[in-house]
């Protein structure tokens, strides 16, 4: 790993030259060595069409560099200037109520508009020409939190492009009708021209909803890649795009042609331990150190502050945790609170008047400690024997048809599964990720298991010695949100050696289960009842309710490995029982552990709940304390 970066977002276009000089001093005072600039500065860079003025930005970047501060430059396509959006109204997205977006905020552009894309190419080219190979610039961020807001753009260009996308995917309208089951309710389309987007506030077909999102994501992907191609053409490196912590727009797909995975998060203080889920996921997207582009330094806010109170010390732990989990960069939003506009109540390192907040002292402390352990962090890495699936396809399928009322895929995955592994190294991966090197793979809620060649790859991985713990709610629908009709699963019955006797998404608290001759087994949310075929054994069975005595957990040896099929959601202790691997060390549940190996090796412990913790029985951790223990 190269140099470690701690910094903040900064908006020099808002300040006079003398204030910029003061802000540079503040950046140094806080111990920061990097800032992110220009993401919203298009209006300053091109105040009139064709009138490009980047000299001011180059001057700021050079001043920062002379003071030991590196820059991440951002392309400004999230906020085109008012003159552009008014002169070319087709560049503004059309909302689902078919009203074109006002010029009043950000991220309101149509990703299909050829005019918008051409204007993007021009400004990105100007930036690349000006800053390519500049040693002050350590990387690039494309756009800002790019995503199909408000369920995407519903303009006529997007509708036409959606129909072309569907034709490319299905080949014929007959194939689409069959894949989506449109004969039901007499919904059969006569042609692709009949297909309308899924307008909100209507009972929308799950297959149509998922396809619409996938189309919008494909438009965003090409929108980003157009800009990346220009930057790469001029030799610009470390190109990425900062995304929020969901995976509905596949991190793997959108980062396919980018250099570095970038990540934003704003979880409340109470969820500090679970922020590691995002780090363990984004670290695997490119299998290299990632960049945190935004996290709160104090509190969140827009026209008013929100996000709840953050206890003293929480910012320090929130700063250190991503570096423990493989980050190369951690940037706050933001350096200095805006004096006006949409987010004038957001927390920062400095107030609009340039005065330190109390939390800035925690940032200074973190900056010093990162320097102390930088050699250890740069000469070690994270190796995991356990992987947990976090599937973009499953997320979108369950968003379209959750099957269980109130089911939230990401939240359930973190609470019911990931949180069990606070004392383990775990890679969080999507289905296209390789499986080499893992001993155990967990795949709960993996709605579609037959995608990205995963079926064939996991079969060979198990035969080679892997343990696959799969289910519940896995392999139950195809990529079009269609349930299987020849079997309950696409392949799991045969692979796991079972027959699914019953399946219910509603328990009404009547089902109970127990391990074979070994006590109670907790179950919840979803209930599969299995009959074991020859060569498959039951690990746990129903002891009460109409499914007794059928199995709820089964095991089958396949080659050198085994597949464990789980028919319900289990408590943490029972999940760890199936995993059967030792933790990094013994620690209290409020302490998150990371083991690092390489040229140097050791362990990092972070207290995440704001209360005293313990490690290895005799090492005490104060609230939000971080221990870096080198072997």
């Amino acid at each position: 790993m190269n140099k470690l970066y701690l910094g903040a977002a900064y908006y020099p276009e808002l300040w006079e030259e003398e204030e910029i000089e003061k802000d540079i001093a503040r950046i140094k005072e806080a111990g920061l060595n990097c800032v992110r600039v220009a993401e919203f500065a298009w209006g300053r860079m091109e105040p009139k069409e064709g009138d490009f003025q980047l000299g001011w930005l180059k001057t700021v970047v050079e001043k920062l560099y002379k003071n030991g501060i590196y820059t991440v430059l951002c392309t400004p396509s999230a906020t085109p200037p008012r003159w552009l959006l008014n002169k070319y109204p087709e560049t503004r997205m059309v909302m689902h109520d078919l009203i074109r977006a006002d010029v009043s905020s950000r991220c309101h552009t149509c990703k299909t508009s050829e005019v918008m894309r051409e204007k993007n190419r021009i400004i990105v080219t100007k930036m690349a020409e000006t800053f390519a190979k500049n040693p002050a610039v350590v990387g690039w961020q494309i756009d800002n939190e790019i995503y199909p807001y408000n369920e995407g753009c519903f303009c006529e260009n997007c509708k036409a492009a959606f129909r072309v996308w569907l034709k490319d995917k299905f080949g014929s309208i007959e194939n689409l009708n069959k894949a989506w089951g449109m004969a039901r309710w007499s919904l059969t389309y006569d042609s692709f021209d009949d297909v309308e987007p899924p307008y909100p506030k209507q009972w929308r077909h799950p297959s149509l909803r998922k396809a619409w999102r996938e189309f919008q994501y494909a438009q965003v992907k090409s929108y980003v890649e157009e800009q990346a191609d220009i930057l790469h053409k001029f030799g610009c490196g470390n190109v990425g795009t900062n995304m929020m912590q969901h995976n509905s727009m596949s991190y793997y797909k959108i980062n396919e042609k980018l250099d570095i995975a970038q990540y934003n998060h704003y979880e409340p203080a109470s969820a500090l331990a679970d922020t590691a889920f995002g780090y363990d996921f984004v670290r695997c997207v490119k299998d290299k150190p990632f960049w945190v582009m935004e996290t709160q330094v104090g509190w969140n806010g827009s026209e008013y502050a929100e996000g709840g109170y953050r206890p003293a010390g929480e910012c320090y732990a929130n700063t250190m945790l991503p570096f423990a989990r493989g980050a190369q960069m951690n940037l706050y939003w933001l350096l200095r609170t805006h004096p006006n506009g949409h987010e004038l109540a957001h927390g920062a390192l400095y107030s609009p008047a340039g005065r330190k907040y109390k939390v800035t002292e925690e940032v200074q402390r973190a900056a010093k400690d990162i320097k102390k352990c930088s050699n250890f962090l740069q000469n070690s890495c994270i190796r995991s024997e356990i992987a947990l699936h976090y599937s973009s396809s499953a997320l979108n399928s369950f968003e379209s048809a959750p099957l269980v009322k109130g089911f939230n895929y990401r939240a359930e995955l973190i609470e019911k599964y990931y949180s069990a592994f606070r004392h383990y190294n775990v890679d969080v991966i999507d289905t296209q990720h390789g499986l080499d090197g893992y001993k155990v793979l967990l795949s709960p809620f993996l709605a579609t298991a037959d995608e990205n060649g995963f079926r064939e790859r996991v079969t060979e991985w198990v035969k080679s010695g892997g343990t696959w713990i799969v289910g519940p709610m896995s392999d139950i629908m195809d990529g079009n949100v269609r349930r299987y009709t020849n079997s309950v699963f696409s392949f799991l019955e045969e692979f796991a050696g079972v027959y699914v006797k019953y399946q219910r998404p509603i328990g009404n608290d009547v089902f109970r289960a127990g391990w074979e001759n070994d006590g109670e087994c907790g179950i919840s949310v979803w209930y599969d009842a299995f009959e074991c075929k020859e060569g498959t054994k039951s690990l746990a069975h129903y002891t009460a309710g109409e499914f007794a005595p059928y199995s709820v957990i089964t095991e089958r040896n396949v080659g050198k490995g085994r597949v464990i099929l789980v028919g319900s959601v289990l408590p943490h202790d029972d999940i760890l029982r199936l995993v059967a691997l030792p933790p990094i060390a013994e620690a209290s549940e409020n302490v998150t552990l990371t083991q690092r190996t390489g040229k140097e090796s050791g362990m990092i412990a972070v207290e995440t709940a704001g209360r005293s913790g313990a490690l290895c029985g005799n090492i005490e951790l104060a609230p939000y304390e971080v221990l870096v223990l080198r072997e």
Side-chain angles (χ1 to χ4, degrees):
M1 186 191 297
N2 295 321
K3 188 179 180 69
L4 302 179
Y5 299 98
L6 181 66
Y10 181 50
Y11 300 89
E13 67 271 20
L14 303 180
W15 306 100
E16 298 297 332
E17 186 174 347
E18 60 271 19
E19 282 299 317
I20 293 174
E21 296 287 350
K22 293 177 183 177
D23 283 338
I24 290 175
R26 293 177 180 115
I27 293 168
K28 296 171 69 175
E29 177 191 33
L32 308 183
N33 63 355
C34 186
V35 293
R36 189 190 75 179
V37 302
E39 61 180 341
F40 303 141
W42 192 337
R44 179 80 182 270
M45 289 188 280
E46 189 183 4
K48 296 180 181 179
E49 188 168 16
D51 178 17
F52 297 100
Q53 298 182 17
L54 276 72
W56 67 272
L57 181 58
K58 188 174 181 181
T59 297
V60 170
V61 169
E62 290 173 350
K63 283 184 178 181
L64 289 163
Y65 188 54
K66 289 178 181 178
N67 283 275
I69 303 161
Y70 294 90
T71 295
V72 176
L73 278 175
C74 308
T75 68
S77 48
T79 56
R82 186 177 294 273
W83 64 256
L84 190 158
L85 295 166
N86 282 340
K87 183 175 181 179
Y88 306 102
E90 74 156 67
T91 60
R92 287 185 272 140
M93 65 185 294
V94 170
M95 315 299 277
H96 56 73
D97 55 8
L98 303 185
I99 297 175
R100 197 170 290 280
D102 292 332
V103 186
S104 61
S105 183
R106 66 183 188 192
C107 304
H108 43 20
T109 59
C110 171
K111 306 302 184 290
T112 303
S113 166
E114 286 301 324
V115 175
M116 189 68 255
R117 289 181 175 235
E118 175 60 18
K119 292 298 182 182
N120 286 344
R121 288 191 290 268
I122 292 171
I123 190 66
V124 172
T125 299
K126 293 294 183 181
M127 292 184 72
E129 288 174 341
T130 303
F131 292 100
K133 300 180 181 180
N134 188 320
V137 178
V138 294
W140 293 76
Q141 171 192 301
I142 293 173
D143 209 278
N144 174 73
E145 294 180 354
I146 193 165
Y147 188 77
Y149 292 93
N150 301 302
E151 302 203 33
C153 178
F154 292 78
C155 75
E156 292 303 316
N157 287 336
C158 284
K159 290 181 187 178
F162 178 47
R163 292 162 186 148
V164 171
W165 183 86
L166 290 172
K167 187 173 183 179
D168 289 342
K169 179 176 181 178
F170 291 102
S172 69
I173 197 65
E174 291 78 17
N175 290 341
L176 182 150
N177 284 323
K178 183 178 180 180
W180 290 2
M182 299 306 286
R184 185 174 184 272
W185 289 1
S186 301
L187 294 174
T188 303
Y189 294 113
D190 293 324
S191 72
F192 287 105
D193 291 338
D194 289 341
V195 181
E196 288 288 322
Y199 299 106
K201 299 184 180 179
Q202 298 182 28
W203 194 358
R204 299 164 292 169
H205 196 290
S207 301
L208 174 63
R209 291 181 65 195
K210 187 178 182 187
W212 175 249
R213 280 196 298 273
E214 289 176 345
F215 159 72
Q216 293 284 339
Y217 301 151
Q219 297 301 88
V220 169
K221 176 177 165 65
S222 65
Y223 196 81
V224 167
E225 288 180 348
E226 274 191 347
Q227 298 185 40
D229 287 344
I230 295 169
L231 294 172
H232 286 148
K233 177 182 176 182
F234 283 88
C236 301
N238 287 333
V239 176
T241 184
N242 66 326
M243 296 170 63
M244 297 300 285
Q245 62 267 34
H246 48 68
N247 190 33
S248 54
M249 185 166 65
S250 169
Y251 261 79
Y252 280 72
K253 289 181 180 179
I254 201 164
N255 281 286
E256 186 178 9
K257 294 184 178 180
L258 304 183
D259 306 319
I260 197 154
Q262 300 177 354
Y263 175 71
N264 295 356
H265 71 90
Y266 287 93
E267 284 95 343
S270 60
L272 178 60
D274 292 336
T275 62
F277 174 84
Y279 308 145
D280 288 339
F281 172 63
V282 74
R283 180 182 68 244
C284 299
V285 172
K286 304 294 286 185
D287 281 325
K288 62 188 291 188
F290 58 93
W291 289 2
V292 175
M293 305 305 287
E294 294 184 29
T295 185
Q296 68 285 325
V297 67
W299 58 89
N300 301 342
S302 51
E303 294 88 355
Y304 51 86
E306 58 182 336
Y309 174 72
R310 295 184 182 276
E314 195 271 348
C315 177
Y316 172 78
N318 186 46
T319 302
M320 300 295 288
L321 185 56
F323 289 109
R325 291 300 175 105
Q328 182 187 12
M329 178 181 292
N330 192 13
L331 305 182
Y332 304 106
W333 205 87
L334 69 169
L335 178 74
R336 187 174 176 183
T337 299
H338 299 321
N340 48 34
H342 298 72
E343 294 169 311
L344 79 170
H346 203 289
L349 278 85
Y350 294 91
S351 73
R355 297 179 183 179
K356 282 196 303 184
Y357 290 110
K358 180 68 174 176
V359 75
T360 309
E361 295 174 6
E362 295 184 33
V363 176
Q364 293 170 315
R365 174 189 168 200
K368 292 177 182 178
D369 286 350
I370 290 167
K371 287 182 180 180
K372 289 179 184 177
C373 60
S374 61
N375 287 337
F376 170 72
L377 292 171
Q378 293 177 74
N379 289 304
S380 63
C381 61
I382 298 169
R383 293 284 181 263
S384 303
E385 296 180 332
I386 304 168
L388 172 66
H389 267 136
Y390 176 38
S391 162
S392 175
S393 178
L395 193 155
N396 284 302
S397 292
F398 287 129
E399 178 68 23
S400 300
L403 302 184
V404 175
K405 186 175 182 180
F407 181 76
N408 181 310
Y409 169 66
R410 184 179 184 273
E412 291 288 310
L413 191 67
I414 293 174
E415 179 185 349
K416 300 297 197 307
Y417 288 87
Y418 179 78
S419 294
F421 295 96
R422 289 178 180 169
H423 303 153
Y424 294 77
N425 282 3
V426 176
D427 283 355
V428 180
I429 62 174
D430 209 333
T431 54
Q432 55 265 69
H433 197 279
L435 301 177
D436 291 346
Y438 299 123
K439 291 183 178 179
V440 177
L441 172 65
L442 294 101
S443 304
F445 316 134
L446 188 65
T448 303
D450 192 7
E451 63 175 10
N452 297 318
F454 174 70
R455 173 178 177 172
E456 295 75 20
R457 290 186 292 109
V458 75
T459 298
E460 292 306 310
W461 176 78
V462 171
K463 288 179 179 179
S464 298
T467 295
W468 187 25
I469 303 171
V470 55
M473 299 173 71
S474 297
D475 195 31
I476 58 174
M477 61 179 74
D478 68 14
N480 294 304
V481 203
R482 182 183 176 95
R483 300 294 294 272
Y484 297 110
T485 55
N486 295 328
S487 175
V488 173
F489 306 126
S490 75
F491 75 99
L492 270 179
E493 275 192 313
E494 179 182 357
F495 191 54
V498 301
Y499 176 79
V500 181
K501 185 70 174 179
Y502 303 111
Q503 189 173 71
R504 281 181 60 176
I506 300 174
N508 295 332
D509 202 31
V510 298
F511 294 114
R512 297 290 183 274
W515 294 96
E516 301 300 335
N517 303 315
D518 195 19
E520 184 178 353
C521 174
I523 54 176
S524 63
V525 182
W526 182 273
Y527 307 89
D528 287 340
F530 306 125
E531 288 182 341
C532 294
K533 296 180 180 179
E534 184 177 355
T536 300
K537 67 179 180 180
S538 175
L539 298 182
H541 65 276
Y542 290 95
T543 57
E546 63 192 88
F547 292 176
Y550 293 107
S551 296
V552 67
I553 306 175
T554 66
E555 179 184 53
R556 179 185 179 223
N557 293 329
V558 181
K560 298 178 181 179
R562 57 186 180 146
V563 55
I564 298 174
L565 183 61
V566 183
S568 190
V569 175
L570 308 179
H572 289 179
D573 287 346
D574 288 342
I575 293 170
L576 295 177
R577 173 178 179 160
L578 293 176
V579 170
L581 291 175
I584 297 167
E586 295 299 324
S588 51
E589 55 84 23
N590 57 314
V591 175
T592 293
L593 301 180
T594 307
Q595 187 174 32
R596 297 183 65 105
T597 56
K599 293 180 180 179
E600 297 194 37
S601 59
M603 175 175 61
I604 302 176
V606 182
E607 197 292 308
T608 58
R611 62 178 189 270
S612 297
L615 173 65
C616 300
N618 59 357
I619 301 175
E620 294 186 2
L621 281 83
Y624 298 120
E625 185 175 5
V626 178
L627 296 180
V628 180
L629 305 174
R630 180 187 297 168
E631 289 185 1

